[in-house]
Amino acid sequence: YFQLFIQNKKYSISTEDKLIYARTDRLSNSYQSFVDNYCGGSKQLILSSLKEYAELFRKTFQPDICDTTIPSTFGIERLNVVIFGLKTTTLIPYVLYLAKNISDTTALNKMYGILESYVMRRIVTHATSKNYNNLFLSLIANEILDADDLRTRLQAASGTNSYIPTDTELQDGFEHSKLMNLYSKGVLYLIESHIRPAQSAVVLHGFNNYSLEHLMPKKWHNNWPACPTPLDAEKRDSILLTLGNLAIIPQSLNASIRDSDWNTKKAGKGQEKPGLTLCASGLSTLQDALTKTDWNESEIQTRALWLYKQAQSLWKL
């Protein structure tokens, strides 16, 4: 709420004060300074729209969306997963600004789609999020409220640490990036929610209801075919950490199934220890993989390319 005031050009807030006001650890002092130095000592400006923004905030931001299903198309529900599920909370001031100033739902959802695409492309490619705060506040300061303007502004960041990753970089990310589990789950979940058929008999659960599974387990040495050379084993240890080998499933596999050979991992060991075929039933991002009689480095690469194509189509910029 405070960031919306300090980015407003009509108050002519000094650069030095903006830096101080951006610190959340001294927010109370910053409010007082703003009131004293830029509002003539009157709190009315701060208070006049507080209730309106509070109601808009409550309507817009829903951390519990991570416990329920989300639509396949761009909108605030999906962006809430990006913000709260993937902990990209620096988006909040700009999203609140958009929600306040864009009344047309179609136009607003288009803006949300650009933001989802931008953040997710950067997550896949391991791009840093350190400059997000400055970037999103600059979008408020420059009154970016149009989809074309937003794209232009983001594309202008080429060559900086706020750049938009290209399709080539995105593909490389799917083939080689080793993301933290939360990010891997987010990438797969948002793709899954987008591509699954509308008439699917299996409901999509909330983001929090899925766990991440390595199709070829980290402990492959126990039950999987040996590699010809130590170098091949090293390459296998690396590729099994990439997105092509990862899946979201609604329940964790039993430890004895998780590290089993491929056929056992698919079929399970009875009702008490179900395998992927039962646990992952209806998941579009895993459907093709479960038809494979063997799972190896080549299949991981093939699936990585397939996932990339889904992401390229979804997160277009």
Side-chain angles (χ1 to χ4, degrees):
Y1 179 61
F2 190 43
Q3 297 307 308
L4 298 176
F5 287 103
I6 69 173
Q7 299 307 320
N8 196 319
K9 293 176 182 176
K10 75 178 184 180
Y11 301 119
S12 301
I13 297 176
S14 70
T15 302
E16 182 182 358
D17 278 347
K18 278 190 177 184
L19 290 172
I20 296 172
Y21 292 169
R23 292 175 52 184
T24 56
D25 62 335
R26 49 170 294 134
L27 189 55
S28 178
N29 292 338
S30 295
Y31 264 117
Q32 188 62 56
S33 172
F34 175 70
V35 168
D36 290 343
N37 298 324
Y38 297 98
C39 302
S42 172
K43 298 176 183 177
Q44 189 54 39
L45 176 70
I46 295 290
L47 297 176
S48 60
S49 58
L50 182 60
K51 179 174 181 286
E52 183 183 2
Y53 271 103
E55 290 174 341
L56 183 62
F57 188 98
R58 181 169 57 186
K59 177 183 175 182
T60 305
F61 299 107
Q62 302 168 7
D64 59 358
I65 197 72
C66 295
D67 294 316
T68 60
T69 189
I70 61 170
S72 61
T73 54
F74 292 132
I76 193 57
E77 298 89 354
R78 294 175 65 87
L79 201 60
N80 267 299
V81 172
V82 176
I83 291 171
F84 297 106
L86 304 185
K87 306 187 188 309
T88 319
T89 53
T90 44
L91 274 166
I92 288 177
Y94 183 54
V95 174
L96 185 62
Y97 176 73
L98 295 178
K100 177 70 168 63
N101 292 285
I102 301 177
S103 57
D104 182 78
T105 303
T106 301
L108 191 56
N109 287 341
K110 188 177 289 188
M111 298 292 275
Y112 291 156
I114 294 171
L115 293 175
E116 177 187 327
S117 301
Y118 174 74
V119 171
M120 295 311 297
R121 276 179 173 258
R122 288 178 60 83
I123 281 177
V124 171
T125 56
H126 256 317
T128 180
S129 61
K130 287 182 179 178
N131 196 46
Y132 280 179
N133 190 52
N134 291 333
L135 170 67
F136 296 129
L137 292 183
S138 76
L139 297 177
I140 298 173
N142 288 280
E143 301 177 351
I144 305 300
L145 292 167
D146 175 80
D148 289 336
D149 289 345
L150 178 56
R151 276 197 207 90
T152 299
R153 194 84 187 180
L154 293 176
Q155 287 163 350
S158 177
T160 72
N161 60 2
S162 299
Y163 73 101
I164 300 173
T166 64
D167 284 351
T168 300
E169 291 170 309
L170 187 66
Q171 180 177 344
D172 186 73
F174 272 94
E175 293 176 344
H176 300 109
S177 287
K178 300 173 182 65
L179 307 178
M180 57 187 283
N181 285 354
L182 184 70
Y183 285 168
S184 295
K185 189 172 85 161
V187 170
L188 294 167
Y189 180 77
L190 289 170
I191 291 175
E192 176 68 38
S193 66
H194 177 71
I195 67 172
R196 68 166 36 217
Q199 68 276 17
S200 176
V202 180
V203 67
L204 179 73
H205 301 296
F207 176 74
N208 289 341
N209 298 107
Y210 288 93
S211 60
L212 195 68
E213 181 68 30
H214 291 75
L215 301 182
M216 179 186 290
K218 293 180 181 179
K219 297 180 181 177
W220 59 267
H221 299 269
N222 297 335
N223 299 301
W224 289 59
C227 291
T229 69
L231 181 59
D232 289 319
E234 207 173 292
K235 290 179 179 177
R236 176 177 288 181
D237 284 333
S238 178
I239 198 172
L240 67 80
L241 299 175
T242 60
L243 286 161
N245 189 53
L246 300 175
I248 53 168
I249 57 175
Q251 65 181 93
S252 297
L253 295 180
N254 181 277
S256 67
I257 301 295
R258 188 179 301 124
D259 298 331
S260 295
D261 63 88
W262 180 234
N263 287 331
T264 304
K265 189 162 188 176
K266 287 195 298 179
K269 297 178 180 178
Q271 287 189 336
E272 296 298 316
K273 298 178 180 179
L276 287 171
T277 301
L278 184 59
C279 290
S281 175
L283 286 169
S284 299
T285 47
L286 201 47
Q287 193 170 0
D288 187 62
L290 295 180
T291 67
K292 306 297 182 183
T293 55
D294 188 25
W295 191 253
N296 51 42
E297 290 82 344
S298 176
E299 295 292 358
I300 291 172
Q301 289 175 321
T302 299
R303 183 165 176 265
L305 182 59
W306 179 82
L307 286 169
Y308 155 68
K309 289 178 178 177
Q310 312 313 307
Q312 180 193 34
S313 173
L314 170 58
W315 297 318
K316 295 189 287 283
L317 275 173

